[in-house]
Amino acid sequence: MRHGKYRFIVGFLALPLLLYGIFVISPFVQAFQISTTEWSGLRGTAKGVGLANYTKLLHSDEFWNALKHNVVMLVLVPIVTLALGLFFAFMLNIGGRSRRGAVVTGVRGARFYKFVYFFPQVISITIISVIWFNIYNPDPHDGMLNSLLGTVGLGSFQSAWLGEGSLALACIMVVMVWANVGFYVVLFSAAMAAIPREIYEAALLDGASRFHTFFRITLPLLWDTVQTGWVYMGIIAMDAFALVQIMSVNMGGPDGATDVVPLRLYLTAFRDSQFGYAAAMGVAMLVVTLLFAALTMRFARRERIEF
């Protein structure tokens, strides 16, 4: 019976594991193999160089500049996105006035607000990039943001935005937050809907403020969801290729102020035809992403609270 059970399990998992190995694990192995070569992308031109590409990577100022920007995104974008997602979800689901005898209610029109927040998720990242590129247009008449500032009498705050080295990366991070916060509003709203209302009602009747109910009830009970969202947002922050490529000045400018590792990888491979060196960048990205996920799961671990 035991051997029959194991044969069934192996037979059931064999095909999925085979497909996973071919389409997921195999490309990672191939990427590492390519990173140990000097390859122009043409058949028959690969030459083994060992770990020379990684040595070159460690001494590349362009790579470290790009990685620094990714790390800044890795720290700031998940924090701001998840904080706003939690805040809006809490206000939509718990922040309404008491009515119809219920102590805890959401705000009126919560479904409509969730739709509005979620709307950027149904737009492709390319369209989002083009829209915001035009919003940041430095022309005081054609640029929506500068035009608005001029209309309300704040012309002194008008700027080149994406053309300013000190502002360009922050402008792109604002778009990343805007594009993703709606997903977490809906995700956290669904998680909050599963929390029994009696817990909130008991806390509020005992005199707890909404501030305390958020930090003492909502956040602890949603922590597993927040932890998963943190890892997911970290992966998005590491892969900011489309936004930077479309929105930045001269792809990564001005003067490398918005350069990120995925864009540097793309340019190295398809512009400079250094596929081995580009593959080494990809492996470095994999290591950084796995390290971020491992640290997040390790230090954000809490005792699971059941309800």
Side-chain angles (χ1 to χ4, degrees):
M1 289 290 292
R2 180 178 298 178
H3 294 299
K5 181 179 71 172
Y6 288 140
R7 280 198 299 270
F8 172 77
I9 294 174
V10 171
F12 187 77
L13 294 178
L15 182 59
L17 289 175
L18 178 62
L19 293 174
Y20 185 82
I22 293 173
F23 294 106
V24 179
I25 303 299
S26 175
F28 286 117
V29 175
Q30 292 178 46
F32 179 76
Q33 184 271 324
I34 294 172
S35 72
T36 62
T37 67
E38 185 179 312
W39 183 40
S40 65
L42 301 175
R43 181 177 295 180
T45 61
K47 182 178 69 174
V49 293
L51 300 179
N53 286 324
Y54 294 96
T55 303
K56 182 179 178 182
L57 208 60
L58 291 174
H59 296 89
S60 171
D61 292 335
E62 289 183 337
F63 172 75
W64 287 110
N65 177 61
L67 183 60
K68 178 184 71 175
H69 296 151
N70 271 120
V71 171
V72 171
M73 290 180 172
L74 204 60
V75 173
L76 296 180
V77 172
I79 291 176
V80 177
T81 305
L82 296 180
L84 289 175
L86 281 168
F87 173 76
F88 290 137
F90 183 78
M91 295 305 296
L92 289 176
N93 291 274
I94 314 297
R97 294 181 178 180
S98 300
R99 58 182 183 269
R100 295 179 184 175
V103 178
V104 179
T105 57
V107 299
R108 295 185 184 276
R111 291 184 178 179
F112 172 75
Y113 292 130
K114 290 175 186 177
F115 170 78
V116 172
Y117 286 132
F118 192 78
F119 183 71
Q121 290 292 311
V122 303
I123 307 176
S124 75
I125 194 66
T126 304
I127 296 175
I128 289 174
S129 302
V130 172
I131 290 173
W132 278 91
F133 181 80
N134 286 280
I135 290 175
Y136 285 133
N137 189 324
D139 189 284
H141 302 291
D142 295 333
M144 294 176 62
L145 182 55
N146 279 344
S147 178
L148 177 63
L149 291 173
T151 302
V152 299
L154 296 175
S156 59
F157 290 96
Q158 291 177 338
S159 175
W161 304 114
L162 296 173
E164 288 282 346
S166 58
L167 295 175
L169 187 64
C171 291
I172 291 176
M173 287 194 289
V174 167
V175 180
M176 292 180 70
V177 172
W178 178 85
N180 290 284
V181 70
F183 172 79
Y184 291 98
V185 171
V186 175
L187 178 67
F188 293 144
S189 294
M192 288 178 191
I195 300 175
R197 284 293 185 266
E198 292 80 3
I199 299 177
Y200 288 112
E201 291 174 356
L204 292 173
L205 290 174
D206 284 342
S209 65
R210 295 192 185 275
F211 177 85
H212 288 99
T213 58
F214 176 78
F215 284 100
R216 299 294 180 86
I217 297 175
T218 305
L219 189 57
L221 292 178
L222 262 61
W223 190 253
D224 287 347
T225 307
V226 172
Q227 187 182 45
T228 303
W230 197 292
V231 174
Y232 181 63
M233 274 308 303
I235 295 172
I236 291 176
M238 280 299 297
D239 184 22
F241 170 75
L243 281 174
V244 174
Q245 185 197 29
I246 297 172
M247 293 181 62
S248 64
V249 177
N250 296 325
M251 292 207 297
D255 196 24
T258 57
D259 199 8
V260 290
V261 177
L263 179 63
R264 181 58 35 198
L265 186 157
Y266 169 80
L267 294 175
T268 301
F270 297 101
R271 184 192 65 184
D272 304 333
S273 296
Q274 299 179 28
F275 281 81
Y277 187 38
M281 291 184 187
V283 173
M285 276 186 62
L286 172 64
V287 171
V288 173
T289 304
L290 290 177
L291 183 62
F292 167 78
L295 291 175
T296 300
M297 300 302 287
R298 171 65 181 84
F299 291 107
R301 184 184 302 166
R302 288 190 178 184
E303 226 176 278
R304 186 176 179 84
I305 301 176
E306 301 288 348
F307 57 87

